[in-house]
Amino acid sequence: MFRLKVNKSRFAAAAAATRHATTTTTHGNHYQYLQNSKLPTLYFQRSLPRLPIPLLEKTCERFLASVQPILSAEEHRETQQVVEQFRQGIGMELHAKLKQRDAANKHTSYISQPWFDMYLADRVPLPLNYNPLLVMRGDPRPEYQPQVTRATNLIISSLRFWRSLQANILEPEVYHMNAKKSDTASYRRWMAVAPKAFATYASYAFKAFPLDMSQYSRLFGTSRIPKLGKDELVQSPQSKHILVMRRGNMYAMNVLDTSGYIESPSVILGRLKYILETDSQREPASVPLGVLTTSQRDEWAKTRAHIISNPKNADLLQREVDAALFCLCLDSEEDGLFNESDPVPMLKHQLAGKATNRWFDKSISLLISADGVTAINFEHSWGDGVAVLRYFNEVYRDMLNQPFVSESTPHTPANGDCTNVRPLNFEIDNGTQAAVEAAYVQNASIVDSLDMNYLQYKLLNKGTCKRHGLSPDSIIQLAFQLAYRQAFERYVGTYESCSTSAFRHGRTETMRPCTMATKAFCEAVLQPTQKQPSAGELRAMIDRCSSVHGQLTKEAAMGQGFDRHLFALRHTAQLEGLSQPALFETEAYKRINNNIISTSTLGTDTVVAGSFGPVVKDGLGVGYSIQNDFAGAIVTSYKNQAEGKKFIDSLESAFDQICAIIERSSLSAKAELKN
């Protein structure tokens, strides 16, 4: 999870094909665009199916099944009665109103606007509560790893992605069940002749599933603006500059020319070097305004209103910061360097840190440490992991396969070019300074209270799962349940996010990994050895857990979970001015939504680590992945609120027990075959 380097020989061919600024025709399509898709980017968007509203009866059944493992028998019986009253009474009325509202808004999904509202109306600070972190795998070639080199290539590849998206020539986002058979030129030729109104359904015949791309337009040029009560998203898709931050000092740097073309690599490299040289001659920002983006949102809204009451500040903030395509944070050595033996300080800094060199309100912030470690910290209200991960993967591969500058590439000097590199010098009064100081103290206190622990477990990996016929996600989620049960002697609300991007304007659905099947397995394993079922019986229980997990995942991905439906019904009651139904006051509903274990994974080799804060004060934020040579987890918790270290230690024990069961059952099965 923290191995930032990769095998050099693997990319020898790519290195040989590297293009440098001196040999690049910068206005040619090969430089200006990342892709040139035969199918328009939004080719499938019109024909995507709408997100279904589940049957009320099914939602009630699924809710009851999900809460059963975390309730006593008596609590579950009481909940059944309340749910049945809901199903036959107010629930039917709310469901009918929801369907009516959905039918009147066929251009979108029933969850899209309420979900935006939920994010934007929450007043808690963005760091830890919403903005997640993805750490990018390092470049195996030392000449491309230095900070300014990596930053230049990252900017260019990002702009190539963005320009391809704007030109409608970025490949449509399609999930291929068998990429070797469907991700082909033949598939694209067939899709090109399919009627556009039915293109998605034609794609299904190839077992290729187009995904919603409505969020992609907000990847760049988007900022979350703090407002009292509810924030706003503003977009500036035609911007030509980015925001660069260094030691809290802020710069606007043009990266597109007046015609909208990406500037040449030597020019972008020169402008970045000019910023670093200029900044080295300045003091770190005495009043780093970026810290304000860590504030409680109403507090930040008030401070921002005060700042922009000054016309000069208003112009700088709105024109240069809000409108920037994205934020590039160039950290200094004082911010820390990566240490493979102890990655926690760097991860904590990139996740929330001291925030003097951050602007958390930008849709995308690219973070690059002094030694070139690269990460993305993104504001979450505008979109979900599918769009960010697509961008992340494409940009990493582009930088790896065809970097435009290396450590030795000559640059075009930008000294004194105040048109294209603009230091942002705000007029700071006592009120603003006091607000920054207060925000800094508050954020530092929160970050200091954050505990972070990690585990790399090498006995469980992709190869292990393949050899033994295991579902990687299911086995890790089962380990989380066993770890929590043996460490804390109870079962709790557990959250796993599942994308519903197969539908128009789909967002996410919740998958609940704590099931009666996982509970039965945990109880069996934790019995005294002499009372435990045989290894074969325990393996059968593991397979049962995987089967249930797989079915729940399938239902969630198909829009047939229960969480979003109940959320929308509750939202409908609020819109209609109705009193909150009794179901939402039950202990069961409160307990299942008190997500003590909140989990998220991103299955890609380009991400070496991912992290986010706990979603409840006494909870655990678990970012996990299963790689070719290990299973890994990063666990965040708040000190004196939850015991992340105890959970991580128990997780290692859980992995040991599960792997031992799998090995014993395998040996037993082989012995039976011999006999």
Side-chain angles (χ1 to χ4, degrees):
M1 185 170 286
F2 308 108
R3 197 167 299 157
L4 294 177
K5 302 290 184 183
V6 290
N7 194 303
K8 293 183 182 181
S9 62
R10 180 180 170 190
F11 299 105
T18 296
R19 298 173 297 158
H20 293 295
T22 54
T23 61
T24 299
T25 303
T26 58
H27 279 194
N29 286 352
H30 200 47
Y31 174 69
Q32 291 295 322
Y33 300 106
L34 183 72
Q35 295 172 352
N36 186 17
S37 174
K38 301 298 182 184
L39 295 174
T41 304
L42 300 179
Y43 187 73
F44 297 103
Q45 195 69 24
R46 176 184 166 193
S47 61
L48 284 173
R50 300 195 64 223
L51 181 67
I53 298 177
L55 295 173
L56 180 61
E57 183 178 355
K58 285 293 185 182
T59 287
C60 291
E61 288 175 5
R62 290 166 180 144
F63 171 71
L64 286 170
S66 291
V67 298
Q68 190 174 2
I70 60 175
L71 298 177
S72 67
E74 179 60 30
E75 287 173 329
H76 195 251
R77 280 193 295 271
E78 293 173 357
T79 304
Q80 284 177 311
Q81 295 174 4
V82 177
V83 169
E84 185 60 21
Q85 291 169 1
F86 176 81
R87 186 184 70 81
Q88 294 185 16
I90 187 63
M92 289 180 65
E93 180 184 344
L94 294 174
H95 183 73
K97 289 182 181 296
L98 177 62
K99 287 182 71 71
Q100 184 179 24
R101 196 181 302 274
D102 183 55
N105 293 276
K106 292 185 177 180
H107 64 287
T108 187
S109 69
Y110 76 91
I111 198 63
S112 182
Q113 192 57 49
W115 209 244
F116 270 119
D117 292 342
M118 179 271 295
Y119 271 117
L120 295 173
D122 201 346
R123 302 291 80 198
V124 299
L126 298 185
L128 299 182
N129 294 300
Y130 281 116
N131 287 32
L133 173 74
L134 302 178
V135 182
M136 185 178 283
R137 191 173 294 278
D139 197 299
R141 302 156 298 187
E143 64 268 29
Y144 298 108
Q145 190 63 21
Q147 184 185 51
V148 71
T149 304
R150 195 134 168 91
T152 303
N153 286 319
L154 187 60
I155 290 169
I156 294 169
S157 292
S158 296
L159 295 172
R160 280 158 50 78
F161 180 94
W162 179 238
R163 293 208 73 216
S164 299
L165 177 65
Q166 288 190 306
N168 210 22
I169 57 174
L170 189 74
E171 285 279 349
E173 182 73 4
V174 179
Y175 175 72
H176 295 272
M177 291 289 287
N178 188 336
K180 289 182 180 179
K181 291 185 177 181
S182 61
D183 193 5
T184 63
S186 175
Y187 162 77
R188 288 170 178 79
R189 284 195 298 270
W190 278 106
M191 290 303 100
V193 299
K196 200 168 182 180
F198 305 101
T200 295
Y201 297 92
S203 184
Y204 291 167
F206 291 82
K207 293 188 177 180
F209 299 87
L211 303 181
D212 179 76
M213 297 187 73
S214 61
Q215 298 175 6
Y216 281 60
S217 64
R218 293 190 176 98
L219 265 168
F220 293 163
T222 301
S223 285
R224 177 169 172 167
I225 308 300
K227 299 284 185 179
L228 290 175
K230 181 183 172 183
D231 293 351
E232 295 177 358
L233 291 177
V234 298
Q235 290 181 260
S236 306
Q238 302 308 316
S239 287
K240 295 178 170 58
H241 71 279
I242 63 172
L243 173 67
V244 181
M245 301 187 70
R246 173 77 169 180
R247 300 191 304 162
N249 295 314
M250 303 166 71
Y251 305 84
M253 184 182 109
N254 287 353
V255 289
L256 301 177
D257 67 18
T258 55
S259 299
Y261 289 106
I262 304 171
E263 295 279 17
S264 71
S266 66
V267 166
I268 292 175
L269 176 62
R271 289 174 186 172
L272 283 178
K273 286 193 170 186
Y274 176 52
I275 287 175
L276 292 177
E277 291 166 6
T278 300
D279 200 76
S280 67
Q281 298 167 17
R282 302 174 65 185
E283 292 295 321
S286 58
V287 185
L289 292 182
V291 173
L292 293 170
T293 64
T294 70
S295 302
Q296 192 267 1
R297 300 306 290 179
D298 279 343
E299 291 302 316
W300 174 207
K302 294 173 188 174
T303 303
R304 180 184 165 102
H306 171 74
I307 292 172
I308 64 176
S309 64
N310 177 313
K312 178 187 174 183
N313 289 344
D315 180 63
L316 288 176
L317 198 55
Q318 294 164 357
R319 178 168 52 85
E320 304 286 34
V321 178
D322 299 343
L325 287 171
F326 54 84
C327 180
L328 174 67
C329 303
L330 299 174
D331 286 348
S332 62
E333 288 194 18
E334 291 76 19
D335 295 313
L337 302 175
F338 179 74
N339 181 351
E340 192 165 352
S341 64
D342 184 17
V344 166
M346 171 69 77
L347 290 171
K348 280 185 70 173
H349 172 68
Q350 290 186 325
L351 179 59
K354 59 186 182 183
T356 53
N357 204 48
R358 299 288 183 269
W359 197 269
F360 288 107
D361 290 356
K362 290 303 294 181
S363 53
I364 293 284
S365 288
L366 307 176
L367 322 178
I368 307 182
S369 67
D371 52 356
V373 175
T374 302
I376 289 180
N377 189 302
F378 67 96
E379 197 280 313
H380 214 327
S381 67
W382 64 269
D384 305 306
V386 172
V388 174
L389 195 60
R390 168 76 186 277
Y391 157 70
F392 194 93
N393 287 337
E394 296 278 16
V395 165
Y396 175 77
R397 288 167 186 148
D398 190 50
M399 291 195 302
L400 202 63
N401 293 331
Q402 45 192 11
F404 288 90
V405 301
S406 72
E407 194 172 16
S408 60
T409 300
H411 67 277
T412 301
N415 300 54
D417 186 357
C418 296
T419 300
N420 291 300
V421 180
R422 303 178 293 279
L424 306 185
N425 297 314
F426 291 85
E427 294 181 354
I428 307 297
D429 61 16
N430 291 337
T432 300
Q433 182 171 346
V436 168
E437 291 171 354
Y440 180 89
V441 170
Q442 178 65 18
N443 183 67
S445 174
I446 293 171
V447 173
D448 286 346
S449 73
L450 184 74
D451 196 18
M452 183 180 281
N453 294 275
Y454 71 96
L455 172 68
Q456 284 186 354
Y457 189 83
K458 295 186 178 180
L459 296 180
L460 184 65
N461 50 54
K462 287 182 178 178
T464 310
C465 292
K466 188 173 183 178
R467 274 198 316 276
H468 294 285
L470 300 168
S471 160
D473 191 66
S474 172
I475 209 73
I476 290 184
Q477 288 287 349
L478 178 59
F480 293 158
Q481 294 303 314
L482 178 57
Y484 200 90
R485 167 62 179 84
Q486 68 182 0
F488 306 110
E489 300 183 349
R490 63 189 179 119
Y491 300 96
V492 294
T494 308
Y495 181 104
E496 180 179 2
S497 181
C498 180
S499 174
T500 53
S501 59
F503 302 95
R504 191 186 314 155
H505 291 194
R507 293 287 308 235
T508 60
E509 179 56 90
T510 305
M511 212 291 287
R512 297 291 179 178
C514 181
T515 66
M516 292 304 290
T518 61
K519 185 174 184 177
F521 173 79
C522 293
E523 293 304 314
V525 169
L526 294 176
Q527 289 186 59
T529 305
Q530 62 272 20
K531 292 185 178 181
Q532 279 187 13
S534 68
E537 290 170 324
L538 288 172
R539 172 60 202 257
M541 295 179 81
I542 289 175
D543 291 341
R544 172 61 181 160
C545 291
S546 293
S547 176
V548 172
H549 186 91
Q551 180 61 28
L552 291 175
T553 301
K554 181 180 178 181
E555 288 175 359
M558 296 307 294
Q560 295 297 325
F562 71 87
D563 277 80
R564 299 300 179 266
H565 188 196
L566 288 180
F567 174 89
L569 294 176
R570 188 179 187 185
H571 183 258
T572 300
Q574 294 169 350
L575 290 177
E576 297 291 331
L578 301 173
S579 58
Q580 181 158 272
L583 168 62
F584 302 112
E585 298 290 349
T586 61
E587 179 62 26
Y589 187 80
K590 293 175 182 176
R591 203 175 293 176
I592 195 73
N593 284 288
N594 185 44
N595 296 305
I596 298 292
I597 307 175
S598 183
T599 72
S600 183
T601 185
L602 292 168
T604 173
D605 291 338
T606 62
V607 177
V608 293
S611 186
F612 57 95
V615 298
V616 293
K617 291 300 181 186
D618 56 345
L620 306 168
V622 185
Y624 67 97
S625 68
I626 189 156
Q627 305 280 345
N628 291 326
D629 48 0
F630 63 86
I634 301 172
V635 177
T636 58
S637 58
Y638 289 110
K639 298 170 185 175
N640 303 318
Q641 299 280 341
E643 298 177 87
K645 180 65 166 63
K646 187 175 181 180
F647 176 78
I648 276 286
D649 291 342
S650 183
L651 180 60
E652 185 170 17
S653 169
F655 280 143
D656 284 340
Q657 293 172 75
I658 291 171
C659 286
I661 290 166
I662 292 166
E663 208 53 55
R664 289 203 311 271
S665 68
S666 178
L667 291 172
S668 178
K670 287 177 182 177
E672 287 181 12
L673 284 174
K674 286 183 179 179
N675 296 332

